[in-house]
Amino acid sequence: GEQAEHQLSVLGLPHDLAEARFLLAGAYTALGDYERASEKLDKAIAGAAASDDIPLRLRALTLRSANLAATGAVVDAERSARDAVEIAGRGRWPAEEWAARLQLSRLVDGEEGDEQLKAASVLADKLDLPHLRYGVLLEAGRRARNDQKPDEARELFGQAIVLVEDLRSHIGDSAARVSFLEGRTAGYEELLITSLDEGVQRDVEADSLAAFGLAERSRARTLTDMMTGNLVRGTAAQGSVSKDGRLSASGATVADLEADLAACYGALLGTAGGLDRKRRVMVQQRAVQLERALQRRRLEAGGTERTMLQPTSDTPVVLPSPDEQVVEYHVAADRLIAFVWSGGELRVVTALPGPAEARRLVDSWVRHCERYQLASTLPAEAGTALVGAANKALEEISARLFAPVAEHLRIGGELLIIPSGPLHAVPFHALPRPDGRVGETWTVVLAPSYSAAHRLQTRRAPASPSLVIGVADDAAPAVDAEAATVASSLSNAELLVGERATLDAVRDALGRNRDVIHFACHGMHRSHNPMFSSLKLFDGWLTAHDVMSFDLNDSLVVLSACETGRHERDRLVAEPLGLAHAFLAVGARAVVVSLWKADDAATADLMSSFYRQSATGPAPAAALQKAQADVVSRHPHPAAWASFAIHSGLSTKGKS
């Protein structure tokens, strides 16, 4: 964006320059950099006025108003919104006028605020655009709640939810459905907050249950739909693929795009030689372009995975049974909430840091993981200091984010934790407590939602051969030994290593029933497009998108690779996508994933111990935590021994 701004300035194209600056302002706003956003907006407004582009000027004024309000400059924000409304009233720019009036309604109280909202509602009805109507419903609900009209607020937020769900049901691709819902869960969040706030004055238990139900309905929706059979996966449409392998009349073939993308992944991973910072940024940008091109091609052709939402009645929310213990974190607006189930009772814990502070705590821990990855050349005393500092960061997370929750849990047994937002990067099993680590007190499992975990409870191990896949290189030399050890630990296992572990061979092998599927290779998380998060095979990369074409029939999947369970902690998504999501969606009963870049030697040691523990009978979650306790003395830094977690269900069933 900055490069485009510079080039347009040099070329002397004022109107295009104003548009570029407006787009840059939006990007800086999304990053929370309001100072830079304000600088770009002032220039965009001036450029739009000079170019007589009134719609652009209106959009920029409205965004400036929202940014000023976010920084507490309410008077200036109101002035900017009024300017936009006054200019919009002179002509026919209904969409821009809708946005300006809706923004002004947020800034003024009383009768004038109601009038501005009513005018925005009239414009939304006139344009008949659902997303405009959605914005009006949300703001009307907030005003009703602030005016102490909770029943009216509930009705309005409910209408907003129905509107979004109706639109969502018409989207055929599951990844597109998830992307659509991102940023459109505000109706759920507002209704959840209304229920919790109202519970202080009314029936606390009933409103807490209502809030939990809303939290569940707003997260991992597509994954749960696929698990319950409400979504059925179809085969790729072939009609638009020409004989030369092209998916459309223009551009490179899919094979060309995939080969180019594989080269980018190899360079980013470091196996194709080191990259300086500038070159790495260029390769990352190229990878994003290729991923988007492939995504478009797949959608044009029907994709490697197409889904259809079946019309069904609203499925009741499943509640944990008295035997289960569940902690479900949820970010709603500026609050971090934890729903704690224990002994069949629900408690809502609100005495937690806000999302921004939680992100700061987690970011501190992530930096310790990054330091560990760079510490292999340090002397022993420096390594000891790193271990102490990393454990200190985990102690702070435990005290601030887990201790208030643990007060409501009984000691021992299984504990299902459902993270949210930045908490996806937390190794809950490694958090220290006064009486030992969390993983020594409870057997910790993760899930994207309780509804998804409940579906996983019904999946049982099939009696079928296992599959072990290993692809080593100079950066991961321990992979071959790991694959051989794992294969020897499993009865009747098929072993695909080195040049035998090709994309075609793995796809063919995954087409048969498997008890355990173990990948030992490089992994790569793609934050810009999580469905292109990948596992490196001998001749290419197996993406999460590819995985969606399989049927795993209740296999245990172990992804012994880097970042296979990573989610973007900077983004609050209703349904984190990636490799774990993909394997669960197509039938895995449990998936073992890494939360960050795994240490090669420590991972090989951990996996050897994991399968030894599994052979004695424990469930995968218990076996994993026994293995971690076994290797911690040999690999004391938590970034080494605690990097793996498991997504699965609990051993007991919930109730509807």
Side-chain angles (χ1 to χ4, degrees), residues 72-128:
V74 179
V75 174
D76 290 337
E78 183 181 333
R79 185 181 301 114
S80 186
R82 288 189 186 280
D83 287 345
V85 168
E86 194 273 329
I87 294 169
R90 302 175 193 165
R92 296 184 178 181
W93 303 285
E96 287 77 13
E97 182 181 353
W98 167 86
R101 291 189 181 278
L102 188 65
Q103 174 60 19
L104 185 56
S105 75
R106 299 184 181 114
L107 299 171
V108 295
D109 297 324
E111 213 171 290
E112 185 186 1
D114 292 338
E115 289 175 359
Q116 294 295 340
L117 184 59
K118 183 177 180 180
S121 180
V122 169
L123 288 166
D125 291 340
K126 179 181 179 181
L127 292 169
D128 195 24

Side-chain angles (χ1 to χ4, degrees), residues 541-560:
W541 295 77
L542 183 73
T543 69
H545 214 299
D546 297 328
V547 170
M548 296 295 285
S549 64
F550 300 140
D551 186 354
L552 298 188
N553 193 27
D554 303 343
S555 302
L556 165 64
V557 177
V558 179
L559 303 179
S560 180

Side-chain angles (χ1 to χ4, degrees), residues 201-529:
Q201 305 169 8
R202 297 195 329 163
D203 186 339
V204 175
E205 181 179 359
D207 286 304
S208 296
L209 282 171
F212 174 76
L214 288 164
E216 272 291 294
R217 291 184 188 280
S218 68
R219 62 196 304 158
R221 297 292 307 284
T222 303
L223 176 59
T224 306
D225 284 339
M226 295 186 78
M227 287 178 165
T228 57
N230 291 346
L231 280 178
V232 292
R233 289 179 294 116
T235 58
Q238 299 297 322
S240 57
V241 181
S242 63
K243 292 181 180 180
D244 63 356
R246 297 179 185 273
L247 288 179
S248 63
S250 61
T253 66
V254 169
D256 291 337
L257 293 172
E258 289 177 338
D260 197 353
L261 184 59
C264 290
Y265 287 169
L268 292 172
L269 193 65
T271 56
L275 297 174
D276 59 32
R277 185 176 182 277
K278 183 177 180 180
R279 178 64 178 164
R280 176 169 289 274
V281 170
M282 291 175 62
V283 173
Q284 287 174 334
Q285 292 173 343
R286 176 61 177 161
V288 171
Q289 292 170 353
L290 290 166
E291 288 165 357
R292 289 174 177 168
L294 278 167
Q295 184 80 2
R296 286 195 299 270
R297 297 293 182 82
R298 284 168 171 166
L299 287 173
E300 288 170 12
T304 57
E305 175 266 328
R306 289 287 288 177
T307 55
M308 179 175 61
L309 187 61
Q310 302 284 19
T312 59
S313 58
D314 200 11
T315 306
V317 172
V318 179
L319 304 180
S321 72
D323 296 330
E324 294 177 322
Q325 296 204 101
V326 179
V327 175
E328 180 168 319
Y329 291 96
H330 197 84
V331 174
D334 59 348
R335 309 185 196 185
L336 177 62
I337 301 162
F339 297 95
V340 184
W341 286 92
S342 183
E345 295 184 1
L346 171 64
R347 294 174 178 84
V348 181
V349 178
T350 57
L352 295 170
E357 176 64 8
R359 184 176 290 109
R360 184 195 68 79
L361 293 168
V362 176
D363 284 347
S364 175
W365 156 246
V366 170
R367 285 194 293 272
H368 285 288
C369 293
E370 293 168 348
R371 291 187 189 116
Y372 172 76
Q373 293 157 16
L374 301 172
S376 59
T377 60
L378 294 179
E381 57 269 22
T384 301
L386 286 178
V387 171
N391 284 328
K392 188 71 176 176
L394 290 179
E395 286 174 9
E396 189 174 7
I397 291 175
S398 184
R400 302 286 304 281
L401 298 175
F402 186 75
V405 167
E407 296 176 4
H408 305 290
L409 297 172
R410 63 177 183 271
I411 298 299
E414 295 177 309
L415 175 61
L416 174 66
I417 296 180
I418 300 162
S420 181
L423 274 63
H424 283 289
V426 174
F428 284 95
H429 54 282
L431 295 182
R433 286 170 41 81
D435 54 350
R437 289 185 291 272
V438 169
E440 296 172 326
T441 305
W442 295 278
T443 299
V444 177
V445 299
L446 304 179
S449 70
Y450 179 75
S451 300
H454 176 68
R455 298 300 307 176
L456 291 172
Q457 293 164 352
T458 65
R459 297 181 175 178
R460 296 292 179 263
S464 55
S466 296
L467 174 65
V468 179
I469 300 155
V471 180
D473 61 21
D474 292 342
V479 162
D480 281 342
E482 176 187 333
T485 299
V486 170
S488 66
S489 302
L490 298 167
S491 59
N492 195 22
E494 181 180 355
L495 181 61
L496 296 176
V497 295
E499 61 185 17
R500 296 182 57 217
T502 63
L503 282 164
D504 286 343
V506 169
R507 286 168 178 154
D508 180 67
L510 290 174
R512 298 185 290 276
N513 287 349
R514 302 291 181 178
D515 179 7
V516 176
I517 300 170
H518 183 100
F519 284 88
C521 57
H522 284 296
M524 178 177 290
H525 174 72
R526 298 296 297 146
S527 58
H528 294 284
N529 195 339

